């Protein structure tokens, strides 16, 4: 549903893969039905902190560049130019240049004089430099719709405009058809590509669509003498798209005029249920439903900024403008996938023209082949927690995403509001200890505790630059040392917990995961969820608490949806995260802390590594799992939320004489990287198989059949590997997503030595990085070709080449003596 750029692209992609019985329903007239596509300025900037979005944009550029209508290309590769007028932005453009390199996008940092050459109207007095991306450009979205309509129609698809959807038919949990004002259309699959009308269609289907439409200002100037005769009217533009992000503005040429888009104004939320239909909108004086009246008072400050950057505008004025409606989600990412609430009902929503063809390709692959070839976990429609789906949350966060579109966002930067939203039972104690909270999944997560500041006084840790020092404290080093030397309490409550029970529970989990779970009750197993192609959907920790009762440590809501969608009738799966909590007790004195609190034997002989036991600590019933993600002796201790505070206090009092500390996520991340423990979604995704990700030990090919087994059996030699790197300089740090280059001394790739110059393409990119306080070096993991230990590489960090060396792993305690004692 919806014949905007996403719907048309999806019809083209589906029919190209053999699904020819495709009907596209549209309420407005074709080829410009009045949604966001019809007014989109068509900017395609490929560089994004999200590898997924960059891949979507790159495919959009390639595809639209190959499409023509009446001899005119559907993509105009004028390039892109991002300006810096502050030192902070100039530094950020260096970071973005690194992101571009990591994702394979051509980009070049240029000085102010070069910016002037690219855009002669610029006053470069305030410009420090720019990031030039020559392969970016302008998508002609309506033309691209026409081209794809023609291609899809030739393969059997039909496009029906002037059909307003009024209902979604369903039976036994599946979609069966679409009801319109001009008849009902039976369907096995329905895709909502309705743009900002997505929540309206979703309500008809009984499917929540967490999307907030907002209006965005766009204006065109009067004709400028400086542009007279510069551009061909058919192509409209010859100079790069210009972004002035320090003032939340962008510019593009419209032949002899300049188009200006502004995010500088107050958020202007739009109720999707109040947006008029096409005929109502045009009858009411609007150009189209998505084009609201221009609010000149909101644009006035931006006009002054425009005239300061482009002095020629001082002699001009805004000839026309509008407030165009488009979609935002709470995290700014698209909503893609099949709804677990209604099988056969798919979303392809909150997608901008920039990513449209790439999204369509991924969704088409998903529908036809069962999986997209691009990792889409951060676009999966199931990714939001229940607490993040309230209308108030969606509205507040959607508006904030609008405000932050051009902000310099730190990778660790938490959202501001609404907070606190989700807190563990230990929250009051954490506040008393001066916890510095960041946020994830709505949870307040302590990253370090000011109560430990005194412990940091004698910790020798290098000073940090302003960027890496943001959302960091040397206190984390003290907490890491306390964990290595004594014992620490970690709040692990945000870890997702599922309960799987029923007569078929064991057989079901055996089929769904890679490791052998056919073990006695009391066992714990690290295992993987794969897709049919052998890609890592998630990693799990499965504790068998009773013959037909399993506790599963999972990652995202998508894990629950995936398991539920495959579960037979004799298996019951429910999430228990909200009603439970967890404390990680880790360190060489962990046993000395917990043993006096229980009558059960917690010795290594009686309670071994990767074992589980139900017991009591003091007055608190707990499920204890002998696990450690920091490389030290210890347990994960679970109890019900109502007893959580009592558990914390019991452990805290028992640990006082042992020097117990509360430790945060910053120390945790450092310690887990020293041990080489992978973080799903960050270090490995469905794009990677277990062997290249370094978790092949969790695969048992000799057990009964499991999802993904056949694909693993067919896999070829390793061409890439998740690789441990140690930075050579003890004071250097990187944060993640930086490009990695082979260089310096001859690097060994497989059995061949290669020597690459500094202008070579990156060999890979960093996934996770943190300073290893025990090792005295920053640890980085990166996807690289197979390299031998000792190989020298360089990581690009804000334009600087930081030397690093490939290392054997685990980097810390390779004999596992500290955990198994």
């Amino acid at each position: 549903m919806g014949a905007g750029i996403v719907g048309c692209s999806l019809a083209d992609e589906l029919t190209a893969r053999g699904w020819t019985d495709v009907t596209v329903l549209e309420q407005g007239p074709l080829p410009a039905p009045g949604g966001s596509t019809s007014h989109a300025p068509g900017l395609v900037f490929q560089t994004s902190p999200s590898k997924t979005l960059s891949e979507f944009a790159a495919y959009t550029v390639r595809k639209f560049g190959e499409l023509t209508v009446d001899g005119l290309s559907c993509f105009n590769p004028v390039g892109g130019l991002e300006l810096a007028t502050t030192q902070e932005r100039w530094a950020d453009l260096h970071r973005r240049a690194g992101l571009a390199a990591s994702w394979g996008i051509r980009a070049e940092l240029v000085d102010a004089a070069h910016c002037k050459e690219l855009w002669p109207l610029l006053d470069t007095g305030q410009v420090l430099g720019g990031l030039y991306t020559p392969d970016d450009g302008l998508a002609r979205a309506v033309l691209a719709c026409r081209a794809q309509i023609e291609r899809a129609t030739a393969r059997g698809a039909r496009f029906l405009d002037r059909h307003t959807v009024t209902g979604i038919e369903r039976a036994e949990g599946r979609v069966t058809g679409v009801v319109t004002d001009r008849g009902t259309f039976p369907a096995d699959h329905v895709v909502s590509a309705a743009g900002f009308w997505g929540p309206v269609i979703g309500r008809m289907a009984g499917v929540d669509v967490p999307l907030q439409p907002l209006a965005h200002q766009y204006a065109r100037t009067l004709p400028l003498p400086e542009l007279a005769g510069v551009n061909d009217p058919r192509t409209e533009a010859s100079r790069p798209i210009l972004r002035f992000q320090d003032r939340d503005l962008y510019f593009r040429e419209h032949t002899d005029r300049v188009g200006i888009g502004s995010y500088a104004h107050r958020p202007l939320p739009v109720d999707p249920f109040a947006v008029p239909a096409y005929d109502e909108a045009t009858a009411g004086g609007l150009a189209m439903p998505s084009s609201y009246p221009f609010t000149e008072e909101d644009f006035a400050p931006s006009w002054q900024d425009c005239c300061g950057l482009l002095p020629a505008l001082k002699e001009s004025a805004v000839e026309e403008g509008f407030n165009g409606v488009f979609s935002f989600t709470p995290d700014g990412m698209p909503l893609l996938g099949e709804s677990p609430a209604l099988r056969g009902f798919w979303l392809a929503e909150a997608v901008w023209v920039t990513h449209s063809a790439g999204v369509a390709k991924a969704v088409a692959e998903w529908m036809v082949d069962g999986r997209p070839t691009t990792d889409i976990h951060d676009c999966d429609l199931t990714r939001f927690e229940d607490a993040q789906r309230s209308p108030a949350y969606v509205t507040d966060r959607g508006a904030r995403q609008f405000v932050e579109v051009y902000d310099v966002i730190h990778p660790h930067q938490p959202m501001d509001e609404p907070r606190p939203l989700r807190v563990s039972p230990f929250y009051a104690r954490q506040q008393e200890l001066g916890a510095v909270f960041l946020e994830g999944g709505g949870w307040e997560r302590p990253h370090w505790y000011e109560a430990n500041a005194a412990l940091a006084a004698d910790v020798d840790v290098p000073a940090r630059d302003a960027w890496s020092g943001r959302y960091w404290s040397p206190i984390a080093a003290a907490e890491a040392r306390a964990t290595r030397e004594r014992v620490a309490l970690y709040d692990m409550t945000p870890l997702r917990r599922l309960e799987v029970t029923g007569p078929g529970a064991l057989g079901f989990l055996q089929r769904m995961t890679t490791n052998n779970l056919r073990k006695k009750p009391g066992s714990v197993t690290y295992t993987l969820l794969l897709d049919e192609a052998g890609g890592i959907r998630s990693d799990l920790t499965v504790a068998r608490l009773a013959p037909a009762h399993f506790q599963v440590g999972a990652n995202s809501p998508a894990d629950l949806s995936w398991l539920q969608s495959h579960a037979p009738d004799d298996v019951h799966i429910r999430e228990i995260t909200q009603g439970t909590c967890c404390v990680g007790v880790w360190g060489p004195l962990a046993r000395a802390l917990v043993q006096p609190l229980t009558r059960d034997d917690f010795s290594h002989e009686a309670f071994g590594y990767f074992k589980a036991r139900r017991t009591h600590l003091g007055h608190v019933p707990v499920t204890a799992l002998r696990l450690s993600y920091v490389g030290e002796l210890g347990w994960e201790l679970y109890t019900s939320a109502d007893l959580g505070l009592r558990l914390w206090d019991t452990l805290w009092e028992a640990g006082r004489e042992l020097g117990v500390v509360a430790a945060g996520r910053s120390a945790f991340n450092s310690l887990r990287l020293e041990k080489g423990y992978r973080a799903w979604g960050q270090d490995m995704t469905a794009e990677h198989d277990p062997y290249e990700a370094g978790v092949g030990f969790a695969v048992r090919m000799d057990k009964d059949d499991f999802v993904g087994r056949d694909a693993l059996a067919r896999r070829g030699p390793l061409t890439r590997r998740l690789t441990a790197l140690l930075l050579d300089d003890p004071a250097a740090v990187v944060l993640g997503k930086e490009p990695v280059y082979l260089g310096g001394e001859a690097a060994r790739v497989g059995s061949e030595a290669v020597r690459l110059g500094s202008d070579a393409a990156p060999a890979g990119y960093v996934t996770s990085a943190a300073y290893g306080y025990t090792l005295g070096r920053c640890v980085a993991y990166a996807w690289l070709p197979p390299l031998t230990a000792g190989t020298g590489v360089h990581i690009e960090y804000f334009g600087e080449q930081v030397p690093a060396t490939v290392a054997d792993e685990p980097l810390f305690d390779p004999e596992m003596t500290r955990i198994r004692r």
Side-chain angles (χ1 to χ4, degrees):
M1 293 170 290
I5 191 62
V6 179
C8 292
S9 297
L10 181 57
D12 183 51
E13 296 287 340
L14 285 171
T15 55
R17 288 167 174 77
W19 281 26
T20 56
D21 187 10
V22 174
T23 299
V24 182
L25 301 173
E26 172 54 59
Q27 66 171 339
L30 292 174
S36 300
T37 300
S38 302
H39 67 66
L43 281 65
V44 180
F45 276 90
Q46 298 172 78
T47 306
S48 168
S50 165
K51 179 174 178 285
T52 298
L53 291 187
S54 290
E55 289 182 0
F56 286 164
Y59 183 78
T60 299
V61 167
R62 293 195 302 272
K63 181 175 184 180
F64 289 1
E66 296 171 355
L67 297 177
T68 59
V69 174
D70 299 332
L72 186 63
S73 173
C74 293
F75 184 76
N76 185 0
V78 293
L81 177 62
E82 303 178 47
L83 299 178
T85 59
T86 65
Q87 289 295 337
E88 181 186 28
R89 183 69 63 180
W90 185 228
D92 190 59
L93 292 188
H94 284 72
R95 181 177 70 100
R96 288 179 60 77
L99 288 171
S102 290
W103 313 147
I105 299 164
R106 289 202 302 158
E108 178 186 4
L109 288 162
V110 297
D111 61 17
H114 197 166
C115 292
K116 179 77 170 179
E117 293 175 11
L118 293 168
W119 250 85
L121 298 185
L122 276 176
D123 177 1
T124 56
Q126 59 180 316
V127 176
L128 300 178
L131 179 66
Y132 177 49
T133 45
D135 299 323
D136 291 338
L138 296 166
R140 298 183 176 97
V142 174
L143 280 188
C145 286
R146 283 182 55 191
Q148 292 177 107
I149 288 172
E150 291 174 4
R151 297 197 336 173
T153 300
R155 301 186 192 112
R158 57 177 176 168
F159 290 76
L160 303 177
D161 62 1
R162 297 295 189 174
H163 281 64
T164 300
V165 175
T166 59
I168 304 296
E169 292 188 332
R170 38 195 160 145
E172 298 180 352
R174 284 201 61 88
V175 69
T176 59
V178 179
V179 182
T180 76
D181 59 350
R182 298 175 65 177
T184 299
F185 296 82
D188 297 319
H189 295 272
V190 172
V191 183
S192 176
F196 56 77
W197 281 291
V200 178
I201 302 299
R203 180 175 293 182
M204 295 177 191
V207 173
D208 177 44
V209 180
L211 175 160
Q212 176 59 54
L214 287 107
H216 161 59
Q217 291 200 299
Y218 192 79
R220 296 191 193 197
T221 68
L222 292 166
L224 297 176
E226 293 82 355
L227 293 181
V230 170
N231 296 311
D232 184 335
R234 276 174 56 83
T235 58
E236 288 196 319
S238 59
R239 291 165 181 163
I241 312 160
L242 185 67
R243 292 210 281 191
F244 184 19
Q245 290 150 300
D246 289 323
R247 290 294 184 270
D248 297 309
L249 293 165
Y250 64 82
F251 306 85
R252 59 152 293 183
E253 295 173 314
H254 291 280
T255 310
D256 59 353
R257 294 165 169 80
V258 172
I260 306 166
S262 173
Y263 293 98
H265 55 84
R266 62 193 168 93
L268 300 169
V270 173
D271 181 357
F273 295 90
V275 175
Y278 189 92
D279 291 333
E280 294 174 359
T282 54
L286 298 178
M288 61 186 79
S290 61
S291 178
Y292 279 37
F294 190 62
T295 50
E296 295 182 4
E297 65 277 10
D298 289 313
F299 193 71
S302 291
W303 179 250
Q304 296 303 313
D305 291 329
C306 294
C307 293
L309 184 71
L310 307 174
L313 297 184
K314 295 177 181 177
E315 305 301 320
S316 186
V318 173
E319 182 178 45
E320 59 180 350
F322 63 94
N323 291 359
V325 182
F326 63 142
S327 305
F328 286 82
T329 57
D331 61 2
M333 298 293 285
L335 295 169
L336 310 180
E338 184 181 17
S339 170
L342 182 62
R343 292 302 173 195
F345 184 83
W346 295 75
L347 295 185
E349 299 289 13
V351 181
W352 295 5
V353 171
T354 305
H355 312 112
S356 56
V359 163
K361 173 178 175 286
V363 173
E365 290 172 337
W366 207 345
M367 296 177 72
V368 176
D369 304 325
R371 70 184 292 269
T373 53
T374 299
D375 169 56
I376 50 78
H377 79 272
D378 52 3
C379 303
D380 194 307
L381 62 87
T382 65
R383 69 187 180 274
F384 294 116
E385 308 284 349
D386 288 344
Q388 297 173 301
R389 290 179 169 272
S390 70
Y393 186 95
V394 173
T395 298
D396 291 348
R397 290 307 304 161
R400 190 63 196 168
Q401 288 296 328
F402 178 92
V403 170
E404 294 177 350
V405 161
Y406 281 167
D407 285 2
V408 176
I409 302 295
H410 193 278
H412 298 159
Q413 183 171 327
M415 67 179 188
D416 295 325
E417 297 292 340
R419 291 180 64 192
L421 184 62
R422 307 178 78 187
V423 299
S424 80
F426 323 130
Y427 185 64
R429 297 293 182 265
Q430 293 164 345
Q431 288 180 303
E432 292 168 3
L433 293 170
V436 175
F437 294 97
L438 301 185
E439 181 272 344
W443 286 100
E444 294 296 314
R445 299 184 179 208
H447 274 243
W448 66 85
Y449 293 84
E450 291 296 333
N452 297 324
L455 300 177
D458 61 346
V459 173
D460 184 17
V461 59
R464 294 212 174 183
D465 63 87
W467 185 255
S468 65
R470 199 179 301 181
Y471 308 109
W472 172 85
S473 169
I475 294 173
E479 294 174 0
R481 187 169 76 173
T483 307
R484 291 278 188 240
E485 296 179 354
R486 301 190 304 279
V487 61
L489 305 185
Y490 288 82
D491 181 1
M492 306 304 291
T493 300
L495 290 178
R496 185 171 309 280
R497 293 172 290 286
L498 310 178
E499 182 183 74
V500 181
T501 58
L506 174 60
F508 168 67
L509 290 173
Q510 282 282 80
R511 290 192 303 276
M512 297 302 295
T513 71
T514 59
N515 213 332
N516 185 16
L517 305 181
R518 201 174 296 279
K519 302 173 183 176
K520 294 179 181 179
S523 63
V524 181
T525 306
Y526 177 79
T527 188
L528 307 171
L529 284 180
L530 304 184
D531 60 26
E532 292 289 353
I536 305 171
R537 285 189 57 96
S538 188
D539 62 343
L540 309 176
T541 302
V542 181
R544 191 177 190 186
L545 304 180
H549 183 185
F550 295 83
Q551 179 175 303
V552 178
N555 286 295
S556 77
D559 295 345
L560 175 62
S561 176
W562 175 257
L563 291 172
Q564 287 180 330
S565 69
H566 289 82
D569 292 341
D570 62 348
V571 174
H572 308 286
I573 306 170
R574 69 185 184 103
E575 182 163 354
I576 59 173
T577 310
Q578 299 88 336
T580 56
C581 59
C582 178
V583 182
V585 182
W586 291 311
L589 301 182
R591 183 175 289 114
L593 192 157
V594 298
Q595 183 62 82
L597 299 175
T598 179
R599 297 179 181 179
D600 289 323
D601 187 354
F602 269 53
S603 69
H604 181 65
E605 294 73 21
F607 195 161
Y609 191 52
F610 267 79
K611 298 298 181 182
R613 175 178 295 175
R614 284 171 163 164
T615 185
H616 287 79
L617 295 182
H619 298 93
V620 182
V622 300
T623 299
L625 274 56
R626 176 87 184 274
L627 302 175
S628 175
Y629 288 97
V630 299
E632 296 293 337
L633 170 70
W635 289 264
E636 292 177 1
L637 303 173
Y638 297 88
T639 192
S640 56
D642 60 323
L643 291 168
L645 193 58
R646 184 60 176 265
L647 174 61
W648 179 277
D649 289 345
T650 299
L651 295 168
W652 188 258
E653 287 302 317
R656 280 184 182 274
E657 63 182 25
L658 302 173
V660 69
V661 302
R665 299 286 297 185
S666 186
F668 175 90
N669 199 43
S670 170
L671 298 170
R672 71 101 179 164
L673 281 176
E674 289 184 330
K675 283 299 294 180
Y677 294 139
R678 278 61 168 150
W680 181 84
Q682 189 171 343
D683 298 316
M684 56 188 186
T685 69
E687 291 185 346
H688 311 111
D689 75 38
Y691 301 104
E692 58 192 11
V695 289
F697 63 86
V699 178
R700 294 291 179 266
M701 294 294 285
D702 56 351
K703 74 163 191 169
D704 295 338
D705 192 25
F706 58 86
V707 174
R709 185 185 185 283
D710 290 344
L712 294 185
R714 296 191 302 268
R715 64 183 300 279
L718 283 180
T719 58
R720 60 181 176 178
R721 178 179 289 139
L722 188 61
T723 304
L725 305 175
L726 275 177
L727 273 59
D728 295 350
D729 183 352
V733 294
V734 297
L735 298 182
K737 300 186 179 180
E738 296 90 356
V740 182
Y741 296 84
L742 304 180
E745 295 300 317
R748 187 160 296 279
V749 183
S751 60
E752 297 184 8
V754 298
R755 188 182 300 275
L756 298 178
S758 59
D759 59 347
Y765 61 91
V766 175
T767 58
S768 293
Y771 199 86
Y773 300 111
T774 316
L775 302 173
R777 292 284 193 282
C778 181
V779 180
Y781 272 79
W783 281 104
L784 292 168
L787 301 171
T788 57
T791 298
V793 301
H794 287 80
I795 303 172
E796 183 181 311
Y797 180 73
F798 284 87
E800 298 293 327
Q801 295 295 312
V802 180
T805 302
V806 174
D808 285 325
E809 55 174 329
L811 302 169
F812 176 78
D813 188 27
E815 302 301 322
M816 302 286 283
T817 57
R818 298 176 71 91
I819 293 177
R820 303 176 188 273
R821 59 181 175 183

